[in-house]
Amino acid sequence: MTFPLTTSVNRDLAGAAPTTDDEIRSAGPLAARAVGVTKVYGTGDARVSALGGVTLGIPGGRFTAIMGPSGSGKSTLMHCLAGLDTVTDGKVFVGDVELTRLDDRRLTRLRRDRIGFVFQSFNLIPTLTALENITLPMDIAGVRPDPAWLDTVIDTVGLRPRLRHRPSELSGGQQQRVACARALASKPEIIFADEPTGNLDSRSGAEVLSFLRNSVREMGQTVVMVTHDPVAASYADLVVFLADGRIVDQLADPTAEGVLERMKGLDR
Amino acid sequence: MITRLTLKNLAAHKLRLGLTALAVVLGTAFVAGTLIFSGTTDKAFDDLFSEGTHTVDVTVQGRQAFAGSADGVAVKPVPASVLDEVRGVDGVAEARGQITGFAAIVGRDGKIVGGNGPPQLGIGWPSSLSDYGLVTGRGPAGPHEIAIDSVTAEKTGYTTGDQVKVVAKGPAEPYEVVGVFKVGASGRTGGVTYAAFDPATAQRLLVEPGSFSGIVAKAANGVSPAELATRVGAVVPAEYEAITAQQAADDAAGGVRELLGFLSTFLLTFGVISIFVGSFIIFNTFSMLVAQRTRDLALLRAVGASRRQVTLSVMGEALGVGLLGSIAGLLAGAGLAVGLRGLFSAFGADLPTTGLVIAPSTVVWTLAVGVTVTLVAAYFPARRAAKTPPVAALRDDVATPARSLRARAVAGGLSAVVGAALLATGLAGDGGNPLALVGGGALLVFLAVAMLSPLFARPVTRVLGAPLVRLFGTTARLGSGNAQRNPRRTSATAAALMIGMALIATVSVLAASMTASIDKALDGSLGADFQVSAGGGFGPPGSFDPSVAAALAAVPGVRSATPMTYAQVKLDNEPVFAAVGDPAALAGPFGLEMESGTLAAGADEILVDAKTAKAGGWTAGSTVRGQYADGAFATIRIAGVFADNPMAGSYLMGEATHAAHYPGSRVSTVLVVKEPTADAAAVRKDLDASLAAYPNLTLQDQSDIKEQARASVGQLLTMITALLVLSIVIAILGIINTLALSVIERTREIGLLRAVGMGRRQLRRMIRYESVLISVFGALLGIAVGIGFGWAVQRALASQGIDVLSVPAAQLGAYLAAAALVGVLAAVWPARRAARMDVLRAIATQ
């Protein structure tokens, strides 16, 4: 493994990843954390271990990227952190709530009220307008959106002229921006983005990533993004590297080149 | 290769295709059930009627040009002298007089055993050559003895030694049961009750003293029945005919068979409706499967499959579904046939039984209908599948572009115009086969509505959904949005419900109009305060002795009691029914008003109403060529024209004509008018008392008659609605299928909704709203079409007495509410499936 020098390295977080709950908790205020999480699919000969004991803290108000080659378990990790998937062993917390103890009803409510999502594709309900899609989680919850905040979000993503349009009338980049706006609009504690730029051209991708980074810098939002694109990862404050279901490395304030170097190391 | 692909696809979509096959099963089961039922019943009746022919070769009876009298049984009695002549014919080994007629056994409850339905027969003992074997006791030997059949004995508990009342021509009289006999070899009576008297008593009660209802003869060795019939025919007087026993059995069975044929057609109509409704579901399912498999199909095309092969692969699936569904339908049909038999015996029509007859033609028809309909319905989606461009395999957006609705609008409009024209022609009775015209026209109109409804599915569901959205918020908005997003699918799904609802609404409008028309007619015209008639319900009205009228006239407070009946007569070769009675006496009770001519009808004279006179170009004094039931031709004079009168009908025949040409001067109704000052309740009580000896007769006042008319209309409505419910069941299956397929299609969307926090309950609600909107849309279309049909049919029948249009708003509203409930029910299973979906897997689905 090589550890190229990066500019303005955050000493506390750079280098080898912390491995115990105490270690990650000592690092600062956490928006979410995983403690000794394992995830096994199938049984017997068909048994596949996707996560082999992951302990990870997601710092609040930061933009964290989870990187790794295909099959490294990065998506599984995100799904477990977001309460979309159950873990085989270990614990997952969002804030102080232990997700691994919640039933489906409570988990649904938690996702609705405290988590925002941006997926790679198919982020929007085709029958709803852009605005209706943005307010969907709050509409489901039966709460009124904060109009001032909604205005801010809409202006930030630059979608005001398109609010009445349906998803089919929006470009791919615009659709992802609507998805980002939806994730932000309910002021969630944490936003999970799963390859949000995977289906976009580089310009639209850059817009979406800038928007996510700005929401962290300017609004203090916590964002976790899964990606395999080093350029996308370079927008993050911190990159966590995953290989074979384990955290193998961390990199703070990354550059695309730095991330690429480390990825090459992982592939070896 | 394509075959293997087809089989794999069938296996892969078991559930979806299973629901589609179920639609085929329900439709074909009805067709198969009807065919099996009528085949079986036909055979059973054949067996029953041919039982007697084993021992008899020739029958002699009064000649009948056509079924002349209203009760259809009275034929000219055969005097004993004819029997002697027959006995003298060379080749007759044995001949006997046969005595058959109406004789009803009175049960322990004072009511007629058997009631409505199969006839109550009296027979002479032992007059027939056929086999009535005594089970217990002996044959009747005196004027006060009878033997009864074993089924009746079992039903009533009557046994030898019991005193039993029997009503025949005259009032009920007591008899002692001296024997119980078995009818034929099987002992089954098919619901007919038998009372056997000694020959003299039987003649007096059932025919005329010294006369027989017919003569049966057995041929000597070496003489064929046909030969014997010729020989006997040459001897008997011209007003009698000699026919072979086989011919007589066929004639007797013919009437029943005609009735069964009518019943089969009636039931088959509902089978055809079911299959028609099912075809929409098949069409829709295959459309959706093709849409969902666009990428697979495009991949097939990309790797070199021809359009033909793609079409064939989809058609192959349809063939599989159609074949499996039809075979299952055939089996279900056998069960249905048994059920139908049970239904008939529950209504008192105990049909003779035999093993289930599944004719080869039944199998062929069922399979042919099931498979053909499935293939035709799947053809259009299959053709669309073949048009999938290979490049669609590479594109991410699977959604097929919205096609223009213009072609649809044109085809639908055309179909509507042609359908309406056919309907109008059929209803006007101009074309060759009105029933086929009306049926074909209705079919086209349904197709037109189904084709055109996508044009307004979106706005209508939006309007219907608006209050839901206001009340229930986002889940309703999502559900409403889903109902609007694919107008073709929503329309095709709703169309299935539309058809059933339209037919039910049509029948409801007609029933309401009939009731309203009857009310109006009775209010306006009935001058009689009471009416006495025999039987009622199913079958032809019974008849009874005219002396009853005299007895009723003698009741205090009664001003008049006028006997009347109905008879068939041919005028210009057209058979018509005429009321029979003394016109002057009937003028009061009927409220007859003469427009021209005289209020009297002598021999070969008839009165007609104004409408008929106009249509025939007749005035008082015109003549028309006619024929009576005994075959006699006559030049009939129009003696007078009366104003249209719903009670009298179109024709009124005098008693003299009737007595001359229609055997047995019996009546079917007595109209009673009370003195204006007499108390109705008191008169009724006295009338009832004087009828005590006639348990076969019913006394009704005006409100009873109205009530009876209303009840029989209601009964018909209930029966037809019950049969139409089958098509509603199929429509429900269609909604379930569409929703289930939509849920699968929207897996990722549902995953997304769940991810961003929609609870399972909310998800279920969302699907329920969609379902309810589709159902209500279908029901609204159906009710609109139904009101249109009802109006058209009422207009067509206006000249036949249904001259008031009545739209039962409350009833139709209830149907709409029921449709909403149907939507809720249909959503249960798809909603549960959607709610159970694993969130993660739903998101990850490609």
Side-chain angles (χ1 to χ4, degrees):
Chain A
M1 263 184 215
T2 54
F3 294 92
L5 284 173
T6 55
T7 51
S8 65
V9 173
N10 182 329
R11 291 290 160 198
D12 290 338
L13 290 168
T19 51
T20 66
D21 194 20
D22 289 341
E23 275 180 54
I24 60 169
R25 291 176 82 166
S26 66
L30 293 179
R33 65 188 206 276
V35 182
V37 166
T38 64
K39 178 72 186 178
V40 178
Y41 292 107
T43 52
D45 288 344
R47 196 178 148 90
V48 178
S49 177
L51 294 176
V54 172
T55 299
L56 170 70
I58 302 295
R62 307 290 294 268
F63 189 172
T64 305
I66 300 177
M67 280 211 78
S70 304
S72 62
K74 56 185 191 300
S75 285
T76 306
L77 176 61
M78 191 209 89
H79 290 150
C80 291
L81 283 169
L84 288 169
D85 204 354
T86 56
V87 302
T88 308
D89 198 12
K91 293 175 178 177
V92 176
F93 298 87
V94 166
D96 295 329
V97 181
E98 187 183 341
L99 302 192
T100 33
R101 295 169 71 107
L102 298 182
D103 61 12
D104 180 78
R105 200 170 50 85
R106 291 207 179 96
L107 213 50
T108 302
R109 200 176 294 164
L110 177 122
R111 284 199 303 268
R112 188 183 75 193
D113 297 340
R114 299 172 68 169
I115 295 177
F117 287 98
V118 181
F119 296 105
Q120 180 177 0
S121 63
F122 208 87
N123 254 309
L124 306 178
I125 301 297
T127 53
L128 300 181
T129 63
L131 181 62
E132 285 167 346
N133 264 293
I134 291 172
T135 57
L136 180 61
M138 288 166 285
D139 288 342
I140 290 173
V143 297
R144 295 212 158 276
D146 170 354
W149 174 247
L150 196 59
D151 273 350
T152 311
V153 171
I154 289 166
D155 286 336
T156 316
V157 290
L159 282 166
R160 192 163 292 286
R162 302 244 151 214
L163 287 180
R164 297 256 157 244
H165 290 63
R166 303 215 178 232
S168 58
E169 298 158 339
L170 300 175
S171 72
Q174 287 169 334
Q175 289 184 27
Q176 286 305 75
R177 272 150 58 198
V178 173
C180 292
R182 177 191 64 210
L184 267 176
S186 55
K187 294 190 203 170
E189 288 173 28
I190 184 163
I191 291 176
F192 288 98
D194 189 358
E195 304 267 15
T197 59
N199 277 1
L200 299 183
D201 61 77
S202 56
R203 224 193 85 177
S204 306
E207 274 176 18
V208 167
L209 288 165
S210 303
F211 172 71
L212 286 175
R213 184 171 61 189
N214 289 343
S215 71
V216 173
R217 299 262 164 90
E218 291 160 20
M219 304 169 181
Q221 185 65 53
T222 304
V223 176
V224 178
M225 172 176 73
V226 168
T227 183
H228 64 272
D229 174 11
V231 176
S234 70
Y235 282 79
D237 298 319
L238 171 70
V239 184
V240 177
F241 293 91
L242 221 64
D244 295 332
R246 288 171 198 282
I247 292 174
V248 291
D249 206 352
Q250 288 199 6
L251 178 63
D253 298 334
T255 62
E257 295 77 21
V259 174
L260 192 59
E261 277 302 315
R262 298 223 175 169
M263 287 291 286
K264 281 180 184 163
L266 294 182
D267 282 343
R268 216 170 271 162
Chain B
M1 177 57 223
I2 292 295
T3 312
R4 205 159 76 216
L5 189 77
T6 300
L7 290 176
K8 292 211 161 156
N9 277 331
L10 276 173
H13 301 112
K14 270 192 274 296
L15 196 65
R16 315 173 200 185
L17 293 173
L19 275 170
T20 313
L22 201 56
V24 181
V25 172
L26 288 180
T28 50
F30 215 81
V31 170
T34 307
L35 291 176
I36 294 172
F37 172 73
S38 57
T40 305
T41 313
D42 255 2
K43 168 145 191 322
F45 272 107
D46 273 358
D47 290 353
L48 193 73
F49 285 115
S50 61
E51 259 177 10
T53 65
H54 302 313
T55 49
V56 175
D57 293 314
V58 167
T59 299
V60 177
Q61 62 194 28
R63 201 180 285 279
Q64 242 187 324
F66 44 86
S69 61
D71 57 9
V73 292
V75 284
K76 194 171 176 63
V78 186
S81 58
V82 176
L83 178 58
D84 294 336
E85 285 170 37
V86 172
R87 279 186 175 142
V89 172
D90 181 34
V92 171
E94 193 186 351
R96 282 190 186 178
Q98 205 170 25
I99 310 160
T100 319
F102 167 79
I105 299 163
V106 181
R108 292 185 191 278
D109 57 357
K111 292 193 176 119
I112 302 294
V113 180
N116 307 325
Q120 290 90 29
L121 291 185
I123 56 172
W125 184 271
S127 70
S128 159
L129 295 183
S130 57
D131 184 25
Y132 293 159
L134 275 174
V135 179
T136 53
R138 56 180 174 82
H144 303 293
E145 291 183 358
I146 56 163
I148 59 175
D149 69 274
S150 53
V151 176
T152 305
E154 195 179 320
K155 204 189 285 176
T156 56
Y158 287 147
T159 182
T160 49
D162 284 349
Q163 288 288 318
V164 172
K165 278 190 172 178
V166 177
V167 59
K169 263 188 188 172
E173 287 170 34
Y175 297 88
E176 186 186 344
V177 178
V178 295
V180 174
F181 59 90
K182 211 168 95 173
V183 179
S186 65
R188 296 197 66 92
T189 60
V192 178
T193 66
Y194 292 88
F197 305 88
D198 81 332
T201 312
Q203 282 177 325
R204 178 174 59 81
L205 283 176
L206 309 176
V207 196
E208 280 171 15
S211 290
F212 303 104
S213 47
I215 290 166
V216 290
K218 200 165 162 51
N221 280 342
V223 181
S224 74
E227 171 61 25
L228 190 69
T230 314
R231 287 188 203 172
V232 172
V235 173
V236 297
E239 61 261 48
Y240 303 102
E241 59 181 356
I243 54 176
T244 62
Q246 187 59 52
Q247 177 70 45
D250 287 350
D251 286 354
V256 174
R257 212 174 271 138
E258 199 175 310
L259 198 70
L260 281 177
F262 173 75
L263 189 70
S264 298
T265 310
F266 181 73
L267 289 175
L268 269 180
T269 306
F270 292 92
V272 168
I273 292 168
S274 306
I275 287 191
F276 183 60
V277 171
S279 69
F280 279 82
I281 294 165
I282 297 161
F283 170 80
N284 211 24
T285 308
F286 275 93
S287 296
M288 291 174 82
L289 287 180
V290 165
Q292 288 176 20
R293 291 214 310 257
T294 302
R295 284 178 104 169
D296 300 3
L297 295 167
L299 190 64
L300 273 179
R301 295 275 288 124
V303 300
S306 70
R307 284 189 166 194
R308 222 174 94 80
Q309 283 173 312
V310 171
T311 305
L312 281 180
S313 103
V314 176
M315 291 302 273
E317 280 177 59
L319 182 69
V321 168
L323 209 57
L324 287 177
S326 306
I327 292 171
L330 193 62
L331 295 177
L336 200 67
V338 174
L340 274 174
R341 173 180 298 280
L343 200 67
F344 271 85
S345 63
F347 276 108
D350 181 21
L351 299 169
T353 51
T354 176
L356 275 189
V357 177
I358 303 179
S361 65
T362 301
V363 176
V364 170
W365 269 110
T366 306
L367 295 189
V369 165
V371 170
T372 308
V373 167
T374 314
L375 286 181
V376 168
Y379 174 71
F380 298 96
R383 217 182 44 166
R384 203 175 313 134
K387 284 189 185 153
T388 314
V391 72
L394 312 172
R395 279 207 301 251
D396 193 42
D397 50 342
V398 182
T400 44
R403 283 161 292 134
S404 162
L405 288 168
R406 191 174 302 151
R408 238 168 201 269
V410 172
L414 210 65
S415 171
V417 170
V418 175
L422 285 184
L423 261 179
T425 316
L427 287 175
D430 294 342
N433 185 345
L435 215 63
L437 283 174
V438 170
L443 215 74
L444 278 179
V445 170
F446 283 139
L447 277 177
V449 174
M451 275 194 272
L452 293 174
S453 59
L455 296 173
F456 43 87
R458 204 168 263 164
V460 172
T461 40
R462 187 183 308 140
V463 168
L464 289 175
L468 288 180
V469 173
R470 195 158 307 137
L471 273 171
F472 304 113
T474 304
T475 48
R477 174 173 298 137
L478 287 165
S480 168
N482 285 338
Q484 288 167 45
R485 78 204 281 180
N486 192 335
R488 282 161 204 274
R489 183 181 301 175
T490 298
S491 298
T493 311
L497 189 62
M498 177 265 289
I499 295 166
M501 273 293 171
L503 294 173
I504 290 180
T506 306
V507 175
S508 303
V509 169
L510 271 183
S513 301
M514 275 163 92
T515 310
S517 304
I518 291 168
D519 280 358
K520 195 186 121 196
L522 291 179
D523 284 345
S525 66
L526 191 68
D529 300 296
F530 302 100
Q531 176 181 313
V532 174
S533 56
F538 297 126
S543 60
F544 51 93
D545 201 78
S547 63
V548 172
L552 292 173
V555 169
V558 169
R559 166 177 283 187
S560 71
T562 316
M564 64 160 297
T565 187
Y566 296 92
Q568 208 175 14
V569 59
K570 278 188 178 169
L571 294 178
D572 273 343
N573 240 359
E574 281 293 316
V576 297
F577 266 104
V580 178
D582 174 9
L586 285 172
F590 276 173
L592 277 186
E593 282 170 34
M594 293 307 289
E595 292 194 345
S596 61
T598 56
L599 188 58
D604 293 337
E605 284 187 341
I606 200 165
L607 304 182
V608 300
D609 68 353
K611 180 179 64 205
T612 312
K614 198 174 164 208
W618 297 326
T619 53
S622 305
T623 56
V624 57
R625 186 168 166 72
Q627 188 189 15
Y628 302 115
D630 62 353
F633 289 94
T635 300
I636 297 175
R637 183 174 166 272
I638 312 290
V641 177
F642 55 89
D644 293 354
N645 184 304
M647 289 303 295
S650 297
Y651 304 91
L652 186 51
M653 182 193 282
E655 285 170 314
T657 313
H658 189 251
H661 299 285
Y662 297 79
S665 53
R666 319 257 294 152
V667 300
S668 62
T669 307
V670 177
L671 300 168
V672 179
V673 180
K674 69 175 182 60
E675 294 290 352
T677 51
D679 176 52
V683 172
R684 178 170 195 149
K685 216 175 130 208
D686 292 343
L687 286 172
D688 263 330
S690 77
L691 286 173
Y694 296 91
N696 56 327
L697 302 187
T698 319
L699 175 71
Q700 293 172 304
D701 63 13
Q702 288 204 28
S703 66
D704 291 337
I705 295 167
K706 264 190 217 173
E707 196 45 55
Q708 194 193 11
R710 211 181 271 275
S712 57
V713 169
Q715 217 169 25
L716 194 71
L717 175 68
T718 308
M719 188 168 71
I720 293 179
T721 306
L723 286 165
L724 285 172
V725 162
L726 183 76
S727 66
I728 302 286
V729 169
I730 294 177
I732 295 178
L733 283 182
I735 299 172
I736 293 176
N737 216 5
T738 302
L739 289 176
L741 286 171
S742 295
V743 163
I744 294 169
E745 201 172 291
R746 298 178 197 145
T747 296
R748 297 180 73 183
E749 200 176 312
I750 289 166
L752 176 68
L753 285 171
R754 294 279 286 131
V756 301
M758 180 173 267
R760 290 192 162 137
R761 187 187 296 197
Q762 287 174 305
L763 196 61
R764 283 200 294 265
R765 275 219 305 265
M766 175 183 93
I767 291 169
R768 204 177 304 144
Y769 292 137
E770 180 183 358
S771 179
V772 167
L773 283 176
I774 294 175
S775 305
V776 171
F777 175 58
L780 273 181
L781 281 181
I783 288 173
V785 172
I787 292 176
F789 279 4
W791 171 78
V793 178
Q794 182 268 323
R795 286 293 301 265
L797 295 179
S799 62
Q800 285 166 48
I802 306 180
D803 49 359
V804 183
L805 176 69
S806 166
V807 176
Q811 201 175 3
L812 296 180
Y815 290 154
L816 204 59
L821 194 68
V822 159
V824 172
L825 282 179
V828 168
W829 180 69
R832 192 179 301 166
R833 259 174 85 94
R836 279 207 191 135
M837 225 178 248
D838 183 68
V839 179
L840 197 62
R841 213 177 289 156
I843 297 170
T845 306
Q846 283 306 309

